[in-house]
Amino acid sequence: MTGIDLIIFDCDSVLVDSEIIASEVEAGLLTEAGYPISIEEMSERFSGMTWRDTLLAVEKEASIPLSASLIDKVDAILDVRLARDVKIIEGVRPALMQLTLPHCICSNSTSQRLAMMLGKVGIRDHFGKHIYSARDLGPDRVKPKPDIFLHGAAQFGVDPARVLVIEDSVHGIHGARAAGMRVVGFTGGSHTFAAHADKLTEAGAETVISRMAALPGVIAALAEWSESMTA
């Protein structure tokens, strides 16, 4: 085991409570298109995936041809809803203030949406230039691929094995683990579901927390345990 030199945060439903809004919008559009799905099922099955990849998965499963216009339609509706309704996850500000390690954001959301959401909840300046979107790397390099996590670590010159990722989705955890990083699962977003913690653990999270207030203590404990294992 190794120590921790960098903390990488996912954004959606780790820092801002956005996945529940996305699930509402996307479930509504899929239902209208002939694929009935509840908000809860949307959250459980597709949280952490891009809308494009979600549409591809639905088309493959149900053999329903979905209009390409749905991609633009969901973006337009979701941007309005997020700008109006997104809120910070409870406990994020004090947790960030307690962090002494370098930290950044690695997300599947676009740079524009990240800037809007983080600006609305008042933590954009805290991260400064260290806000990274997988979409900027290329449309085929989003989570669950490890690319964005490796990109984040490279900006700090940190060995991926010494990075701890905070993720709320199975897809995100798979990406972080594929990058060779350690992961703490988070279930404090409004989209959380009954088996959420179990699914994150099965995906590779070392531990799962439901409150952001627990994060600084968990980071310290994991770092101390890692160093004791290599002493």
Side-chain angles (χ1 to χ4, degrees):
M1 301 295 292
T2 60
I4 301 168
D5 292 335
L6 175 67
I7 309 296
I8 292 181
F9 290 92
D10 180 33
C11 181
D12 293 287
S13 289
V14 171
L15 299 174
V16 299
D17 203 6
S18 53
E19 284 288 357
I20 188 64
I21 299 172
S23 292
E24 290 172 3
V25 171
E26 293 169 358
L29 288 175
L30 283 177
T31 298
E32 288 176 10
Y35 185 81
I37 185 170
S38 67
I39 295 169
E40 293 75 15
E41 186 181 358
M42 193 79 208
S43 296
E44 183 170 354
R45 293 184 56 195
F46 300 115
S47 176
M49 289 177 66
T50 65
W51 178 235
R52 175 178 175 271
D53 287 344
T54 297
L55 291 179
L56 290 173
V58 169
E59 282 190 325
K60 183 177 181 180
E61 174 193 321
S63 299
I64 298 174
L66 297 172
S67 170
S69 66
L70 280 177
I71 294 178
D72 294 332
K73 189 174 183 180
V74 79
D75 282 341
I77 297 171
L78 191 50
D79 281 340
V80 171
R81 284 287 312 277
L82 290 170
R84 185 186 72 197
D85 298 334
V86 76
K87 293 179 172 60
I88 197 167
I89 292 287
E90 183 179 356
V92 161
R93 285 193 188 90
L96 292 176
M97 291 302 103
Q98 292 179 62
L99 288 182
T100 58
L101 290 168
H103 45 283
C104 67
I105 295 171
C106 290
S107 172
N108 270 353
S109 287
T110 64
S111 293
Q112 294 84 354
R113 184 171 289 166
L114 289 168
M116 180 273 290
M117 293 190 298
L118 295 167
K120 185 177 189 297
V121 303
I123 58 173
R124 180 181 176 185
D125 290 345
H126 176 89
F127 289 93
K129 67 179 182 179
H130 299 300
I131 302 169
Y132 309 116
S133 167
R135 309 286 188 91
D136 292 340
L137 302 182
D140 297 320
R141 297 178 67 185
V142 296
K143 305 173 190 176
K145 291 187 177 178
D147 302 42
I148 188 60
F149 295 116
L150 295 171
H151 177 77
Q155 306 314 299
F156 291 84
V158 171
D159 180 346
R162 297 183 68 87
V163 176
L164 183 67
V165 176
I166 318 303
E167 265 286 355
D168 71 299
S169 76
V170 167
H171 304 289
I173 290 177
H174 285 162
R177 296 295 295 156
M181 299 175 179
R182 304 169 68 187
V183 191
V184 168
F186 182 69
T187 61
S190 297
H191 73 304
T192 194
F193 48 91
H196 197 175
D198 290 339
K199 286 184 177 293
L200 298 185
T201 299
E202 290 167 7
E206 288 187 41
T207 189
V208 178
I209 59 174
S210 60
R211 297 168 55 252
M212 194 55 68
L215 182 61
V218 167
I219 292 171
L222 290 176
E224 182 177 352
W225 177 64
S226 299
E227 297 297 352
S228 70
M229 293 291 288
T230 57

